[in-house]
Amino acid sequence: MNQWLTLCSVDQILPACGVCALAGDQQVALFRPYADEQIFALSNIDPFAQASVLSRGIIAEHQGELWVASPLKKQHFRLTDGVCMEDEQYSVPAYEVRVQNGNVEINTASLQSVAG
């Protein structure tokens, strides 16, 4: 059974930006590429620098897909699944999110499957 945890209002994420949210004990980077309600969620931890910075990265489109470039070492992580463009062994967890009644919610089962 899916359980959903509210993280923030969709309006708290400016279009073309990311924010960091705490979901349990995990830092989640939430990205809103456009002015609509499409939201993506990845781990906020940059695996190359071991730093909590991905939410501060720049959203870019490459070959028809959306990516975030880490603000530290500039590796790119695909927003849909967290795959690292430069080296797939450094991919980051991606989480299932939705917008319900203007609120961004994360599927807690997707958090547990990554943590466990």
Side-chain angles (χ1 to χ4, degrees):
M1 184 167 127
N2 289 336
Q3 299 244 331
W4 295 90
L5 174 67
T6 299
L7 298 176
C8 64
S9 164
V10 71
D11 294 332
Q12 291 178 297
I13 309 171
L14 295 174
C17 292
V19 299
C20 182
L22 195 58
D25 61 353
Q26 295 184 50
Q27 287 190 32
V28 177
L30 300 173
F31 299 98
R32 184 179 181 192
Y34 308 110
D36 60 16
E37 291 189 344
Q38 183 180 35
I39 304 292
F40 298 92
L42 301 176
S43 170
N44 194 42
I45 309 299
D46 179 331
F48 290 90
Q50 292 301 309
S52 303
V53 297
L54 287 185
S55 62
R56 310 289 288 194
I58 296 173
I59 299 171
E61 188 173 331
H62 177 69
Q63 296 182 344
E65 298 197 71
L66 292 170
W67 302 77
V68 61
S70 172
L72 295 179
K73 298 189 177 196
K74 309 303 183 232
Q75 285 84 6
H76 299 81
F77 300 91
R78 190 166 41 211
L79 292 185
T80 55
D81 59 9
V83 168
C84 178
M85 181 189 300
E86 291 79 12
D87 187 342
E88 287 189 18
Q89 79 177 18
Y90 287 97
S91 297
V92 298
Y95 307 111
E96 183 181 1
V97 290
R98 68 182 184 186
V99 176
Q100 288 286 106
N101 301 317
N103 292 313
V104 178
E105 298 178 344
I106 191 164
N107 183 340
T108 57
S110 69
L111 291 169
Q112 294 166 358
S113 65
V114 171

